[in-house]
Amino acid sequence: MAQKANVRERTSQAWDLPCYQAVFKGSAAELAPVKTDVFSKVSVRQYHSSGNITVVDNWEADILSPRNLHPDPSDGNQERKESLQDPCNLVNLLNFLPPLYFPLLTTRCNMSQLGRFMVGLLSGVSLIVGTIIGSGIFISPKSVLFNTGAIGPCLVIWAICGVIATLGALCFAELGTMITKSGGEYPYLMEAYGPIPAFLFSWASLLVMKPSSFAIICLSFAEYVSAAFYPGCDPPVVVVKCLAACAILTISTINAMSVKLASYVQIFFTAAKMIIVIIIIVSGIVLLAQGNTKNFENSFEGSTITAGGIGLALYNGLWAYDGWNQLNYITEELKNPYRNLPLSIIIGIPLVIFCYLLMNISYFTVMTATELLQSPAVAVTFGDRVLHPAAWIVPLFVAFSTIGAANGTCFTSGRLAYVASREGHMLKFLSYISVKRLTPSPAIVFYGIVGMIYIIPADIDTLINYFSFAVWIFYGLTIASLIVMRYTRKELERPIKVPIVIPGIMVLISIYLVLAPIIDKPEWAYLYCVIFIFSGLIVYFPFVHYKVKWAQKITKPITMYVQMLMEVVPPEGSPE
């Protein structure tokens, strides 16, 4: 059967036009355009043959016409036979209407069609492991060691970060199975606190947190790739930035093209990055067995532990673990989320903790604390000292690791833009779905463009601190929403219910992570971050809450041309 469109109801006088003929995947169809003052309606009658029985299916769609022009009756297009690739792809109805219409289709796609390829348990574990194990474990060891001052406290911080990530993931597992909507923190903040905190999250996340994370990962990828061509010296900044931009462009294109392709790419790069992880871990175990334990003697001597230093060390360690909540961004695309969401967390995060601890121990088998801090690329230095002729393997597979993390981040973050826009909190076209590929392609393209802007500053450490400060504000609010909804939304079904003490601990940790660096070493960047988050209120009240008319006059033609260019349609049930 042809897919029926969800039609906007409008009252206006119809004007009958000639009927056009078409073929939808071998089924005959008639198109009858009807002109109105603002919107044009297309009535489609399709004939399906099943054996000796012919079924007639009538359906309609609205088309938005930017101009009030009548077709020329003498244009000779009384009857045309054409072919449509997909009955859902109503954008191709443009082929059957007179050229003067220049129409825009506003049919709707259901969210259940978004990503016809659903994400199962294997893909879920791959997404968690693949997104977490990215650039962090290859760039954060220096920063964690710098802020702790010794090997012993450094390893303790890595273990604590793993415990925090696990506790946070358990809280998000309850939220994700209680509210099975995509978009990560956004739907939980909306349910618990209302639209303003949810909007501020989408505002900060789409413009700061997610794109800066994307930029950090792609810059790390570019640094490791370019390091192979500039042995003994730092690669030029221009080369690094250009490579990072190419990575963002490639990943965004893959994710905009196909959910299935993006999922397969994620599985491939997860397998590839596990190879380099295993190589480093096995090499470290062999070196330990050979007696290379000198660096672990008196490992707590020389430590410089302060409240702010621990906070910054946790920032960098937790940056390496960031991604533990990624499945909550695609809950609607998970097969059986009640089972696969918690299982993916239980399998994926402990695996990451195990790998991270062993990798750090492996680094310290061949490098002292001073040598590690002086290394331009920790994993490359490890490879040069251990693998010798095969040292080229390390930068290659580190590049695979980082590009896989970037792919996972892009795969999930496009869904946040989609969900926020679907609720009317972002530009409407960001929620639109490609009728050919069933992906939120406008959201992904937007995300890629903003990510490219963030590659301009080349200081990765500053980006990480800026990102971590902002993200832990909203992690704390989101986990606190779990406690709030235990009392305000008791009627919601909770397939997973964590002890209340776990979200309580996580809220306290979030408060510490937000306040400790500010108290210990105040910086203007933190104030700018807070000002930017709350500046979203300047946008929220006129454009979202009151919906001023002049803004809609600007965004409507932009939406129209984005639809025509990208062949995208609104999701079913999105606000007008």
Side-chain angles (χ1 to χ4, degrees), residues 217-406:
I217 296 171
C218 289
L219 281 169
S220 303
F221 160 80
E223 285 188 355
Y224 268 92
V225 169
S226 57
F229 298 95
Y230 296 89
C233 63
D234 293 332
V237 174
V238 174
V239 173
V240 172
K241 290 182 179 180
C242 288
L243 280 173
C246 290
I248 290 174
L249 179 62
T250 302
I251 293 165
S252 300
T253 302
I254 290 172
N255 280 269
M257 287 177 59
S258 169
V259 174
K260 192 172 186 177
L261 177 60
S263 237
Y264 285 158
V265 167
Q266 188 64 37
I267 292 173
F268 170 77
F269 281 119
T270 299
K273 74 177 60 180
M274 291 310 295
I275 292 174
I276 187 60
V277 168
I278 291 170
I279 288 173
I280 292 174
I281 290 173
V282 170
S283 300
I285 292 172
V286 171
L287 289 169
L288 283 173
Q290 292 174 350
N292 291 284
T293 59
K294 183 179 179 181
N295 293 334
F296 299 100
E297 297 173 1
N298 302 317
S299 59
F300 284 85
E301 284 187 2
S303 60
T304 55
I305 298 175
T306 63
I310 291 174
L312 291 174
L314 289 172
Y315 272 0
N316 285 274
L318 288 168
W319 156 251
Y321 281 99
D322 192 63
W324 47 264
N325 63 332
Q326 292 300 294
L327 283 185
N328 292 72
Y329 282 85
I330 58 165
T331 306
E332 294 175 49
E333 296 170 74
L334 276 176
K335 294 178 183 175
N336 190 6
Y338 299 121
R339 171 184 176 272
N340 289 335
L341 178 59
L343 271 181
S344 298
I345 291 169
I346 292 168
I347 296 171
I349 296 182
L351 178 62
V352 173
I353 296 172
F354 177 76
C355 292
Y356 275 11
L357 286 174
L358 289 180
M359 288 180 74
N360 275 278
I361 291 171
S362 298
Y363 292 151
F364 290 120
T365 59
V366 295
M367 287 179 276
T368 64
T370 303
E371 289 172 336
L372 189 141
L373 289 174
Q374 293 174 347
S375 170
V378 176
V380 172
T381 302
F382 179 88
D384 289 339
R385 296 190 178 186
V386 176
L387 301 178
H388 304 300
W392 60 269
I393 292 176
V394 175
L396 175 65
F397 280 91
V398 169
F400 285 163
S401 177
T402 51
I403 208 75

Side-chain angles (χ1 to χ4, degrees), residues 429-441:
F429 67 80
L430 291 179
S431 70
Y432 287 10
I433 302 169
S434 170
V435 290
K436 285 184 176 180
R437 300 178 178 88
L438 300 177
T439 60
S441 49

Side-chain angles (χ1 to χ4, degrees), residues 128 131-133 165 210 213 317-326 356 409 467 471-472 475:
I128 288 178
T131 305
I132 294 179
I133 301 179
K210 297 299 180 183
S213 173
L318 288 168
W319 156 251
Y321 281 99
D322 192 63
W324 47 264
N325 63 332
Q326 292 300 294
Y356 275 11
T409 303
F467 162 84
V471 80
W472 276 99
Y475 279 164

